[in-house]
Amino acid sequence: MQIPTWPARVVEYLDDLEIAVDTVQKMIADTRLKTKVGSANEVGDSAAELLGAVTQLESMVENRERLLSDEHAPPTGTTLIEKLDSLDEVELVNRSRAIAATIASTHTAAVSLFVCQYHLANYSQDVLRLLAGIDTPSTYDRSSKGENKQRGGGRLFNDAA
């Protein structure tokens, strides 16, 4: 049995990585859609599935580290792209860069989804707090800077009247 060359093992890694990233991307899109529709039970289920897919993606880091430290890897460079570039593997370099860009955009989408869900989770309580005029919990300690305490919507409505 012949051992695959280092670039061939990188191709296998990129194939697996692409599948993992694609899975996470689809789950984020699905969860975003469920968030828009507002079906809380389905959002929770999607979040659990998404966590599993992200865990799978994180496991790919170990594979990358093994490839980087492999005895057959090129000695120059500290990243796969740099090592592939030193071998003049233009197609693999371009593919690696494309996957890296996809991972970056997927990360941005995941963070945006988290922020959206975080704010939607307390939306009902926030509206009730505003209507009741209860002080808002401060995100930062404004009182230490001598600023007035934030006020809830009751004050807002009184001021508007």
Side-chain angles (χ1 to χ4, degrees), residues 24 28 77 134:
V24 169
I28 287 172
I134 300 171

Side-chain angles (χ1 to χ4, degrees), residues 10-31:
V10 171
V11 169
E12 290 174 14
Y13 166 76
L14 292 176
D15 290 342
D16 293 343
L17 182 61
E18 218 166 20
I19 291 168
V21 171
D22 188 49
T23 301
V24 169
Q25 240 183 349
K26 287 178 182 174
M27 289 183 166
I28 287 172
D30 184 49
T31 304

Side-chain angles (χ1 to χ4, degrees), residues 89-109:
E89 293 281 350
V90 177
E91 280 187 40
L92 287 178
V93 168
N94 291 339
R95 184 173 177 208
S96 296
R97 286 188 176 135
I99 292 171
T102 302
I103 290 171
S105 68
T106 302
H107 176 263
T108 301

Side-chain angles (χ1 to χ4, degrees), residues 26-160:
K26 287 178 182 174
M27 289 183 166
I28 287 172
D30 184 49
T31 304
R32 181 181 298 149
L33 183 63
K34 290 176 181 173
T35 300
K36 284 181 182 179
V37 173
S39 52
N41 293 339
E42 291 180 18
V43 169
D45 294 342
S46 291
E49 291 174 11
L50 182 58
L51 181 61
V54 168
T55 301
Q56 168 77 25
L57 185 59
E58 288 174 343
S59 73
M60 300 299 294
V61 172
E62 293 174 27
N63 298 345
R64 183 189 67 211
E65 293 304 317
R66 276 196 294 275
L67 284 169
L68 288 171
S69 63
D70 189 277
E71 65 183 58
H72 300 294
T76 57
T78 57
T79 67
L80 283 179
I81 291 174
E82 290 171 354
K83 288 183 180 288
L84 290 167
D85 204 21
S86 72
L87 294 174
D88 291 328
E89 293 281 350
V90 177
E91 280 187 40
L92 287 178
V93 168
N94 291 339
R95 184 173 177 208
S96 296
R97 286 188 176 135
I99 292 171
T102 302
I103 290 171
S105 68
T106 302
H107 176 263
T108 301
V111 170
S112 298
L113 179 63
F114 170 77
V115 169
C116 175
Q117 287 181 343
Y118 175 80
H119 288 288
L120 285 176
N122 293 325
Y123 181 71
S124 297
Q125 291 174 345
D126 288 342
V127 169
L128 290 174
R129 180 186 45 74
L130 284 169
L131 292 174
I134 300 171
D135 289 340
T136 60
S138 60
T139 305
Y140 303 101
D141 186 14
R142 292 176 174 236
S143 60
S144 66
K145 296 178 183 175
E147 295 181 24
N148 291 334
K149 193 173 189 179
Q150 278 183 300
R151 298 309 246 158
R155 178 172 175 203
L156 174 71
F157 293 128
N158 289 340
D159 291 347

